[in-house]
Every structure is written in C-alpha cells, then in structure tokens.
Amino acid sequence: MRAAYHEKLEGLNDELAQMSQLAGEAMKKATTALLEGDLDLAEEVISSDTDIDALRTSAEEQAFGLLALQAPVAGDLRSVIAAIHSAGDLERMGDLALHVAKAARRRHPDLVLPGEVAPYFAEMGRVALDLAQDARQVILNRDIELAFTMESDDDAMDDLHRHLFTVMMNRDWPHGVAPAVDVTLLGRFYERFADHAVAVARRVVFMVTGKMPDPPLA
C-alpha cells in the first residue's frame, strides 16, 4: 500500500514538473512573439494553454484522491497540500504567458513594444524561463539550495520591472499613453510569473523541511 501511495505521489510530482516546463516554454515563445511580432508563435501559445489547464485539473484530482483515500500524515500530507497549491501557481504562470501572447496578437502586425523597452523584455523573458526551469528541477529533485537561489533571480526580475517605470516616467517619453499602458501591464505579467515560480520553490522547501521560508525583505 505504501509503495503504491508513493508511486502516485511521484506521478503527481512529475505532472507538476511538466507544468513548469510547459509554462517556461510558453513564456519563451510568448516573449519571442512579443519582440518580433510573430503571430503564428502567439497563436501557438494561446492554443497550448489548455494543456497546462488540463494538467492542473489532473494534478488536483490526484491530490484530492490521495487525501480522501490514503489519509496521509506528516511529510506525506505536506507533499499533497504543497502540490495542490503549486498546481495553482503553475497554471497561473501559463495564464501569464497567455496574456503576453494575446498582447502580441492584439497589436499584430505592429509591434507592441517601443524600441526603448524591448531589451528589458528580452531580459525579463530570459529570467522567466530560467525561473521556470529552476522550479522544475526543484520539484523533481527537492533541491532546497536551488530553491533559495531562485530568490536572486526574482530580485533581478523586480529590478527590471522597476527600471521600466524609470524609462516611461522620463519626460522625453515620446510614445503616449497607450504604449505606456501596454508596457505597464506586460511588465506586471513577467513580474508575477517570477513570483509564482518562487512560490512553487518555497512550497517545496516547506514540503521537505516542514517550515515555510521567511518571506524576502521588500
């Protein structure tokens, strides 16, 4: 019975890792669509979002089944609860990539981003992909050290997000209100993507240690 239970738990873990991989790939493609005005790539991200949604549904069904039928305790209970919350975070990461892709589609054939801010988003896309890949490794390997190092990448994303406002608040900003609104919303999508990735890592720390790490200082 215990062997079968832990096999199901590992299967649940694998689905979470797959969600993280798909979310990272979606944000990578969405970023390319955003920077290059690639409509086909944007449509690919939009149509594939249902794959992440389906994995969340499957992960939650498995987790609730383990709670109902196995009555886990201690570390096993932490694992199931962490998985339920992580599935929500990972699904939200997919949604944020979806929002970026929809912005690229909405402005096609024009580019969404003014040239001044495009390099920021290229870097934000790189950081987002790194965080999704790291979250996958943390999930698969229960790598606590990697989980803690993800905080520094999240800080880098926050810095990039803040710098966007520096550019837009410059009195020489020539692009008007609509592009500023687009940049503000898109920057928020990337910043939240990073936050959700770090939240997944923090839940793995909780799962392994029984303690939720202290929140980072603002």
Side-chain angles (χ1 to χ4, degrees), residues 98-174:
L98 173 69
H99 294 334
V100 173
K102 285 184 173 180
R105 183 178 68 176
R106 184 170 61 251
R107 297 299 187 196
H108 184 80
D110 296 325
L111 294 178
V112 179
L113 302 174
E116 295 96 319
V117 298
Y120 290 97
F121 282 93
E123 182 63 10
M124 291 169 85
R126 184 195 66 78
V127 173
L129 177 60
D130 285 349
L131 282 166
Q133 291 174 335
D134 286 349
R136 178 178 180 273
Q137 290 303 315
V138 169
I139 292 166
L140 287 174
N141 303 319
R142 299 187 178 185
D143 189 335
I144 303 305
E145 291 186 9
L146 180 57
F148 283 114
T149 65
M150 288 173 64
E151 299 280 0
S152 62
D153 277 343
D154 187 40
D155 290 340
M157 183 71 85
D158 290 339
D159 287 343
L160 288 163
H161 189 225
R162 283 191 291 268
H163 287 157
L164 284 176
F165 287 96
T166 302
V167 175
M168 289 187 297
M169 293 300 291
N170 190 309
R171 61 184 179 182
D172 295 327
W173 171 262

Side-chain angles (χ1 to χ4, degrees), residues 9 128 173 185:
L9 203 54
W173 171 262
L185 289 174

Side-chain angles (χ1 to χ4, degrees), residues 1-12 66 75-76 142:
M1 284 290 291
R2 297 304 297 170
Y5 172 80
H6 283 287
E7 184 177 337
K8 291 179 180 179
L9 203 54
E10 285 303 314
L12 174 58
L66 289 170
D76 288 345
R142 299 187 178 185

Side-chain angles (χ1 to χ4, degrees), residues 19 22 34 40 43 98 100 114 122 132 138 148 153 168 183 202 213 217:
M19 289 181 72
L22 291 176
L34 186 70
D40 290 339
E43 294 287 5
L98 173 69
V100 173
V138 169
F148 283 114
D153 277 343
M168 289 187 297
V183 169
R202 287 164 60 83
L217 297 175

Side-chain angles (χ1 to χ4, degrees), residues 18 23 27 54 57 64 79 83 88 107 128 166 185 200:
Q18 187 180 358
M27 186 56 96
T57 299
F64 287 123
S79 295
R107 297 299 187 196
T166 302
L185 289 174
V200 170

